[in-house]
Amino acid sequence: MKFLIDDANIEKIKKIYEFYAIDGVTTNPSILAKAGKNPYDVLSEIRDFIGDKAELHAQVISLKAETMIKEAYKMTEILGRETFVKIPTIPEGLKAMKKLHAQGFKITATAIYTPMQAYLAAKAGADYVAPYVNRIDNLGANGVESVKLIQNIIENCDFSTKILAASFKNSNQVQELCAFGIGAVTVSPDVIENLIRNASVKEAEQDFIDDFEKLCGQGKTMLDI
Ligand code: G3P
């Protein structure tokens, strides 16, 4: 399962990359708005940092297929042809996906709230479908179960499309999909850090150090004895 960062803040991205094994970065217009700079400058800085091999996902803004396609050309010209163009899964978006897929673009179908949106996007040639786990939960449905259903649809309909689950707000949502095994998840830096934040681990590590120092002396490690 690929593991991506859902953020556009370059300092946060660098910090997460320093500690964790990461496969790329996803953004959306709201995430870019938080960065507060020209979106191409922000996305180019992310691309430069993560390199051509890592995945970068960036979203079109238009609601009309023809303009979405033009945006896809400009975005990939600037950010690299390997960039995943995120397209909202609305009828105009599906029209754009069909055309862009035929022209060899990498496509992430986004704003997915229902399994049948995912089916239609896969059928239109999307490489990834991005269901919004927590936003589905907030509608009174079950985000994790929706993703599992989408995975069944993809497997049973024999699509090569993968799932890029998004919109996580807690560790359990990520853990359940990790255990189930899907193509990818994209997670915000704060939720990533909470995946491993645990007072018991900190306490255990301090006990080990205290015991070692009692034996070998203050500040000693295996390097000093
Ligand atoms: O990138 C799309 C998705 O991650 C949105 O997440 O946190 O706005 O629900 P959120």
Side-chain angles (χ1 to χ4, degrees), residues 185-201:
V185 292
T186 184
V187 187
S188 63
D190 57 324
V191 175
I192 291 176
E193 285 171 335
N194 276 331
L195 295 175
I196 196 165
R197 185 168 290 140
N198 185 325
S200 299
V201 176

Side-chain angles (χ1 to χ4, degrees), residues 1-218:
M1 186 183 79
K2 290 195 175 179
F3 191 62
L4 288 86
I5 303 172
D6 201 21
D7 207 297
N9 180 308
I10 192 69
E11 296 315 320
K12 287 185 184 174
I13 290 169
K14 285 180 178 172
K15 187 174 166 216
I16 295 293
Y17 257 80
E18 183 183 352
F19 293 101
Y20 308 103
I22 299 293
D23 298 295
V25 173
T26 60
T27 64
N28 65 33
S30 306
I31 286 172
L32 288 171
K34 280 186 207 147
K37 292 190 267 185
N38 180 294
Y40 282 121
D41 291 345
V42 174
L43 290 164
S44 298
E45 198 176 5
I46 296 170
R47 169 58 84 201
D48 287 347
F49 174 69
I50 66 177
D52 291 345
K53 300 277 179 287
E55 292 188 9
L56 177 63
H57 298 244
Q59 192 164 330
V60 300
I61 309 300
S62 170
L63 293 174
K64 286 282 174 203
E66 279 68 29
T67 325
M68 287 177 187
I69 291 167
K70 285 181 188 160
E71 286 185 270
Y73 270 95
K74 178 166 180 181
M75 288 160 65
T76 52
E77 207 176 289
I78 295 173
L79 303 168
R81 183 71 186 207
E82 62 286 349
T83 302
F84 286 82
V85 180
K86 288 177 75 178
I87 301 180
T89 310
I90 56 177
E92 288 284 335
L94 293 168
K95 181 177 169 183
M97 285 179 213
K98 280 199 295 172
K99 293 189 176 171
L100 288 169
H101 173 65
Q103 292 163 34
F105 282 82
K106 290 185 172 177
I107 300 162
T108 300
T110 195
I112 289 186
Y113 288 80
T114 68
M116 287 319 291
Q117 268 182 295
Y119 167 81
L120 291 170
K123 191 81 183 147
D127 297 278
Y128 277 119
V129 288
Y132 285 0
V133 176
N134 196 68
R135 292 195 195 192
I136 295 171
D137 283 351
N138 283 344
L139 291 176
N142 187 318
V144 166
E145 290 307 316
S146 298
V147 175
K148 290 180 179 176
L149 189 51
I150 291 170
Q151 181 75 351
N152 283 345
I153 289 171
I154 287 172
E155 282 171 11
N156 292 333
C157 296
D158 216 17
F159 290 126
S160 58
T161 307
K162 294 198 176 334
I163 295 175
L164 168 60
S167 176
F168 291 100
K169 287 293 168 285
N170 63 61
S171 296
N172 193 51
Q173 292 165 334
V174 182
Q175 178 178 291
E176 286 211 40
L177 291 179
C178 212
F180 186 69
I182 57 163
V185 292
T186 184
V187 187
S188 63
D190 57 324
V191 175
I192 291 176
E193 285 171 335
N194 276 331
L195 295 175
I196 196 165
R197 185 168 290 140
N198 185 325
S200 299
V201 176
K202 218 171 161 182
E203 195 183 316
E205 187 52 26
Q206 193 55 53
D207 287 345
F208 291 139
I209 292 169
D210 292 346
D211 289 342
F212 192 85
E213 288 185 339
K214 271 183 221 146
L215 177 69
C216 299
Q218 184 80 22

